[in-house]
Amino acid sequence: MGGVSHTSLPPLPSSDRADVSARLRSALLGASFTADGLLDLLGAPAYAALARSETVPALRATRGDTPLETLVRLFLLQQPVPYARVADVLPVEDALESGWLTRTGGDEVAASVDIRPYGGPDGEDWFIVSDLGCAVGGAGGIGSRDEGVVLGVGGASTTLAGITVRRPVGSALDLGTGSGIQALHVAQHATRVTATDLNPRALHIAALTLALSGAPAADLRQGSLFEPVRADETYDLIVSNPPFVISPGARLTYRDGGMGGDDLCRTLVQEAGDRLNEGGYAQFLANWQHVEGEDWQDRLRSWVPRGCDAWIVQREVQDVTQYAELWLRDSGDHRADPADYQARYDAWLDEFEARKVKAVGFGWITLRRTAAADPSITVEEWPHSVEQPLGDAVREHFDRVDYLRRHDDAGLLAGHFRLVAEVVQEQVGLPGAEDPEHVVLRQHRGMRRATKVDTVGAGFAGVCDGTLSAGRILDAIAQLVGEDPVLLRDRTPAQIRLLVEQGFLEPVE
């Protein structure tokens, strides 16, 4: 891919000059232009302010002439910098020739793209390329954008990266790659990476991100959803942070799907099943409609393709006015002419009213291809804080699904279990009461779930250390509380199954 521009946007650096990318990467690292280096230079307040699109603290912190200050002003704050200062840090003529820098008149140069340091999960020093002012917290802020711009890393990008199952795989597909952040992550554990995007400018920038980060090149293909994928191609991992915004029309390529309502997310999920190898995962961020007279959980269950287990988590719900205002602000429409803003707002509400949508949910969808006769579909709401990264927790969820599918109640009672690390017990009741009203088990890792249990459940969980079978533990509890052991064995497996399903107990096999 050469330096092709998209619509009226400025030209991009050449992605054909691997030698220049390598020298540029070496120079950036040599000047400590890294996530840790930025934090050390700017300090936590200025660093955090950048994430809010506030640049004044960072400008004040970079008034010197060190190499790192020069690079921050050039690539993060997008300020023109004297040629001589840049020449002390970067291979400036190569960068000008290949389009990473441009001359601004006089004796100054400016960046043609935003380059943002990004720390990988194992301490890697990566660089995310995006259009000027379009890194989240970039110098230009979010603001109003050309329809073809390519954004940098935002909260959605890091959320998806955090929940993705990380294991060595032969093949991975990143649908709607954008600046290439998901492709960069999967390149660390996939032999072969394919990345697609409807926007050719995004594919070009993704190639720059991979090259500047020292990652292997991906197979980059233009097209919507699965269109660029051949009929005979299947993958061990599919990830997508799609243009999931439910909007009237498709004004902004990076966020608006262009299909009616939540049809883009539904289509993506439904078509993913046939693209997965056995045991393969497909993981998406998505928005979905809450429609009058319809259970939102049933709506999402209907999306799950045949032959797939699914775990769907709703993280947030907004009413239609909150949702419209969020995305109108995202595109800068709240700063436009008041009459235009009102007209756009009306259009969003008209669209929702026509579809009888009362709210919009946001969350995560994970599919796993399975040969099981009875696929498991879990749809739940969990708006509380979690501990990222969650990739291991996602994989463990499906491991537990497999275990529970293989074991009936008799099998559970014969099994051995261990209380998962960092689970605590809380007793809730009135002060001074002899017995608690209820007992809560709470996780301090992963999903950080909390669940109510009865006294038998609490006693059972507390004793589980893998040495005794579940049945023998229940027999001992029955003797302590004076209950019929047969009845206790009969009624407790459902509670054990729930504690295993939610990750409070782990099987010891």
Side-chain angles (χ1 to χ4, degrees), residues 117-472:
Y118 179 84
D122 296 314
E124 302 94 342
D125 289 314
W126 293 338
F127 300 99
I128 309 302
V129 180
S130 62
D131 274 309
L132 292 174
C134 291
V136 172
I142 296 298
S144 182
R145 308 186 183 101
D146 185 287
E147 65 171 12
V149 298
V150 179
L151 272 60
V153 178
S157 304
T158 55
T159 294
L160 179 59
I163 67 172
T164 299
V165 174
R166 303 294 174 196
R167 56 176 186 155
V169 295
S171 57
L173 172 65
D174 176 16
L175 280 180
T177 190
S179 62
I181 177 61
Q182 307 305 329
L184 180 56
H185 273 280
V186 298
Q188 310 309 302
H189 59 100
T191 304
R192 189 167 47 85
V193 178
T194 302
T196 71
D197 206 288
L198 182 63
N199 182 0
R201 189 176 183 88
L203 296 175
H204 190 132
I205 284 181
L208 298 174
T209 289
L210 292 168
L212 199 57
S213 298
D219 177 4
L220 302 172
R221 306 181 191 178
Q222 184 182 354
S224 177
L225 300 181
F226 289 100
E227 286 175 4
V229 179
R230 295 192 304 272
D232 61 344
E233 288 182 297
T234 55
Y235 298 88
D236 303 310
L237 175 65
I238 300 172
V239 293
S240 184
N241 176 18
F244 52 65
V245 176
I246 300 171
S247 59
R251 188 159 58 109
L252 299 172
T253 306
Y254 70 88
R255 71 168 204 194
D256 299 325
M259 296 186 186
D262 52 16
D263 282 355
L264 182 135
C265 291
R266 176 185 56 78
T267 300
L268 180 62
V269 173
Q270 289 180 335
E271 294 184 356
D274 290 337
R275 300 297 185 171
L276 284 175
N277 294 325
E278 182 67 22
Y281 289 90
Q283 298 186 262
F284 316 107
L285 301 186
N287 280 187
W288 44 78
Q289 298 172 150
H290 285 231
V291 179
E292 290 179 18
E294 177 184 85
D295 186 310
W296 68 270
Q297 294 181 322
D298 289 343
R299 181 182 191 84
L300 290 172
R301 286 189 186 95
S302 74
W303 291 8
V304 177
R306 287 183 180 180
C308 287
D309 293 322
W311 184 22
I312 301 174
V313 182
Q314 179 167 274
R315 296 287 290 154
E316 184 180 359
V317 182
Q318 291 186 326
D319 68 46
V320 292
T321 59
Q322 291 173 309
Y323 190 79
E325 290 161 15
L326 170 67
W327 296 110
L328 287 167
R329 287 194 299 271
D330 170 80
S331 55
D333 290 308
H334 62 304
R335 293 193 294 266
D337 177 83
D340 290 341
Y341 175 77
Q342 182 174 338
R344 290 194 187 280
Y345 200 151
D346 267 333
W348 283 70
L349 296 185
D350 285 345
E351 178 81 3
F352 287 132
E353 187 176 322
R355 294 179 176 275
K356 298 184 177 180
V357 176
K358 56 184 179 179
V360 176
F362 170 84
W364 320 323
I365 297 177
T366 299
L367 306 177
R368 186 189 60 167
R369 189 76 189 176
T370 180
D374 55 339
S376 165
I377 301 177
T378 301
V379 184
E380 62 177 315
E381 185 165 21
W382 188 252
H384 311 293
S385 65
V386 298
E387 182 191 46
Q388 285 276 33
L390 273 169
D392 285 347
V394 172
R395 176 182 51 77
E396 289 163 1
H397 167 88
F398 289 96
D399 288 345
R400 294 192 299 270
V401 165
D402 287 339
Y403 177 87
L404 293 171
R405 194 153 42 200
R406 292 193 307 266
H407 292 80
D408 58 14
D409 286 356
L412 282 184
L413 293 176
H416 293 239
F417 301 93
R418 182 189 300 117
L419 188 66
V420 172
E422 298 193 43
V423 171
V424 298
Q425 176 179 306
E426 300 172 359
Q427 297 191 140
V428 181
L430 294 173
E434 185 174 339
D435 296 312
E437 291 178 17
H438 56 263
V439 177
V440 173
L441 298 181
R442 188 178 301 278
Q443 301 167 349
H444 282 269
R445 304 297 301 271
M447 290 292 286
R448 294 176 173 162
R449 294 186 186 277
T451 189
K452 289 182 184 179
V453 291
D454 61 21
T455 52
V456 170
F460 179 88
V463 174
C464 281
D465 62 3
T467 57
L468 296 176
S469 70
R472 289 190 63 187

Side-chain angles (χ1 to χ4, degrees), residues 33 50 75-76 114-118 126-129 135-139:
F33 188 64
L50 265 184
F75 289 119
L76 260 66
D114 186 298
I115 299 176
R116 182 141 310 220
Y118 179 84
W126 293 338
F127 300 99
I128 309 302
V129 180
V136 172

